[in-house]
Amino acid sequence: MLRGTPVHARTSTLCQAQNWRRWSGYLAAGSYELHHDREYWAIRSAAALIDVSPIHKYLVRGPDAMRLLNRVVTRDLARCAVGQIFYTPWCDARGKVIDDGLVARLDKDIFRLTSAEPNLRWLTDNARGLEATVEDESERLAALALQGPASRRILGQVAEPAAALEGLGPFRLLQGSLGGIPATITRTGYTGDLGYEIWLEAGRAVDAWDLLLEVGGAYGLLPAGLLALDLARVEAGLILIDVDYVPAPRALTPSQASSPYELNLGWAVDLDGAPFNGWRALREEKRRGSAWQLVGLEVEWEALERLYAAEGLPPQLAAEAWRGSAPIYDGRRQVGYATSGAWSPLLKRILALAHLEAGHAQPGTRLAMELTVEHRRRKAAARVVKLPFLDAGRRRA
């Protein structure tokens, strides 16, 4: 049975479109207005408030908390200082990705791990023999994402201590409050832009939501749903589980699963740290090289125009980000497949995330992507580009 999130009392009244999506057993707004255009532009030009409470959240603590997480994730958490956050995947024994998420170091022996899928059993199985406990906080904690160039100014009006917020760098956290409501504020997000995520008790989430919308109104803040978020994350080149990769436990064949190197996440693999699940397999893959690589693709506009002009039509552009498999060709030979993509309103380009054979993954490589024009399968010229498609300097400022 689908449930409402801790702020459903507010999102349900704001959602004019009644456009709901399923997310980890919760109802999540696809868009609040009849179309998500304004919500997308709020992310890119003002600020957007996104309910991300369905994310799974696990509190890991105890003298062996770091040992447990270093046994699981591919990052070396000995390098993660208190108040710092690491993005990381975690793998099975074959070095194939199970899930990906954030690890925040809240204190010396206290960490919070967030994930897209349930991971409690995996964590507790790996905790055997260690002095560490894993607590599922998914229902107790709400999470609100405040994203966009005006997000810092909005938070500065209500967050304490304000001075610490001003100096909060990317992938850092602040233990403070929001209008007197205790909260952990992290400089993180899924939009590739300046943004924060606010973690607080579920019972106070409505108060925080109301406060942010009240203060943010002067800055153009809008509530935004998953359709706008999907556009933003494609522009930022950020992968989505069950869309851009199959989690290893659900892969029906070995070829369906992907390693971090194949997902363009080699930078998040610390082979010099303590051995973790999949360490040997990934060390061997690093030595021999990966067979596949996740890349960015841009479809050439002129090629698209020609395909539609042959049918007497102007180019047809999908308003929403798409998810599915689209074959990629080098001449007549298929060399990969796209998994998600979108027409970028800001960049004015057709973008796609794609898995390619390693020999075709170099930026600048010219290929073709299959698409449908008037019920017929056609090929549109495309080229490989470096990710992210959109690099908003505000994200790192």
Side-chain angles (χ1 to χ4, degrees):
M1 179 178 176
L2 290 174
R3 297 172 291 170
T5 70
V7 292
H8 186 71
R10 296 294 185 266
T11 58
S12 59
T13 57
L14 290 169
C15 189
Q16 302 172 21
Q18 292 298 303
N19 181 357
W20 298 97
R21 298 289 191 272
R22 294 172 179 262
W23 183 4
S24 297
Y26 288 91
L27 284 168
S31 64
Y32 289 91
E33 299 184 358
L34 297 181
H35 199 280
H36 60 277
D37 271 358
R38 288 206 327 136
E39 297 167 32
Y40 163 82
W41 283 110
I43 293 173
R44 291 293 180 231
S45 62
L49 185 60
I50 308 164
D51 179 15
V52 294
S53 298
I55 291 173
H56 293 274
K57 318 162 194 79
Y58 302 100
L59 192 67
V60 182
R61 54 185 166 187
D64 290 334
M66 183 190 295
R67 287 185 61 194
L68 166 58
L69 289 171
N70 273 342
R71 180 181 287 182
V72 174
V73 304
T74 62
R75 303 291 297 273
D76 182 4
L77 294 180
R79 303 177 182 177
C80 184
V82 174
Q84 191 173 6
I85 302 162
F86 276 5
Y87 169 79
T88 181
W90 47 98
C91 302
D92 64 10
R94 300 173 301 138
K96 301 302 183 180
V97 176
I98 294 172
D99 204 339
D100 65 297
L102 299 177
V103 177
R105 191 166 191 179
L106 306 179
D107 208 334
K108 180 178 180 293
D109 295 323
I110 304 177
F111 298 82
R112 178 176 292 133
L113 179 143
T114 63
S115 65
E117 298 281 314
N119 277 267
L120 181 60
R121 182 173 179 178
W122 180 248
L123 291 168
T124 53
D125 283 351
N126 279 277
R128 291 175 183 173
L130 298 179
E131 198 173 342
T133 61
V134 181
E135 178 186 350
D136 189 343
E137 297 187 297
S138 302
E139 293 190 12
R140 184 177 68 82
L141 279 185
L144 305 177
L146 181 65
Q147 303 285 303
S151 57
R152 181 185 286 124
R153 284 176 285 164
I154 295 170
L155 264 187
Q157 302 293 313
V158 295
E160 292 291 341
L165 176 69
E166 187 62 29
L168 191 65
F171 289 93
R172 295 298 192 276
L173 66 86
L174 167 65
Q175 301 281 14
S177 65
L178 206 68
I181 304 168
T184 301
I185 300 170
T186 61
R187 178 88 179 269
T188 52
Y190 197 49
T191 63
D193 213 317
L194 175 64
Y196 301 84
E197 290 174 314
I198 301 151
W199 312 83
L200 71 166
E201 292 291 335
R204 303 301 305 275
V206 167
D207 295 333
W209 177 275
D210 290 344
L211 178 63
L212 288 169
L213 283 182
E214 179 183 355
V215 172
Y219 298 87
L221 175 67
L222 291 177
L226 298 185
L227 295 180
L229 182 61
D230 213 13
L231 275 178
R233 73 95 187 166
V234 169
E235 291 177 333
L238 300 175
I239 58 174
L240 180 61
I241 194 171
D242 282 323
V243 175
D244 299 305
Y245 73 93
V246 178
R250 291 207 291 275
L252 300 178
T253 65
S255 63
Q256 286 185 341
S258 301
S259 75
Y261 293 117
E262 293 171 327
L263 294 177
N264 201 29
L265 298 178
W267 60 270
V269 177
D270 292 329
L271 290 177
D272 295 332
F276 49 82
N277 293 328
W279 179 80
R280 289 180 177 83
L282 291 176
R283 184 179 60 174
E284 174 59 23
E285 183 178 341
K286 179 71 178 295
R287 184 193 64 79
R288 73 172 186 270
S290 302
W292 292 85
Q293 183 67 58
L294 184 118
V295 303
L297 280 181
E298 286 186 2
V299 176
E300 295 183 4
W301 179 256
E302 293 80 4
L304 194 70
E305 279 188 320
R306 287 193 293 272
L307 291 177
Y308 277 94
E311 303 291 339
L313 295 169
Q316 307 293 304
L317 301 174
E320 302 176 6
W322 53 266
R323 303 174 180 183
S325 183
I328 306 297
Y329 295 91
D330 180 10
R332 298 173 66 106
R333 179 173 174 269
Q334 184 177 349
V335 295
Y337 55 96
T339 50
S340 61
W343 163 257
S344 168
L346 182 61
L347 299 176
K348 301 296 187 287
R349 299 171 193 164
I350 300 173
L351 314 175
L353 296 173
H355 294 258
L356 295 179
E357 295 175 0
H360 298 81
Q362 290 300 312
T365 303
R366 301 185 71 82
L367 300 167
M369 186 171 82
E370 188 174 282
L371 46 80
T372 301
V373 178
E374 279 299 280
H375 316 293
R376 294 181 175 86
R377 304 303 289 169
R378 300 290 188 237
K379 296 177 183 176
R383 64 186 179 91
V384 178
V385 298
K386 188 177 179 180
L387 292 173
F389 302 107
L390 174 66
D391 187 4
R394 295 180 295 263
R395 180 176 62 88
R396 297 184 303 272

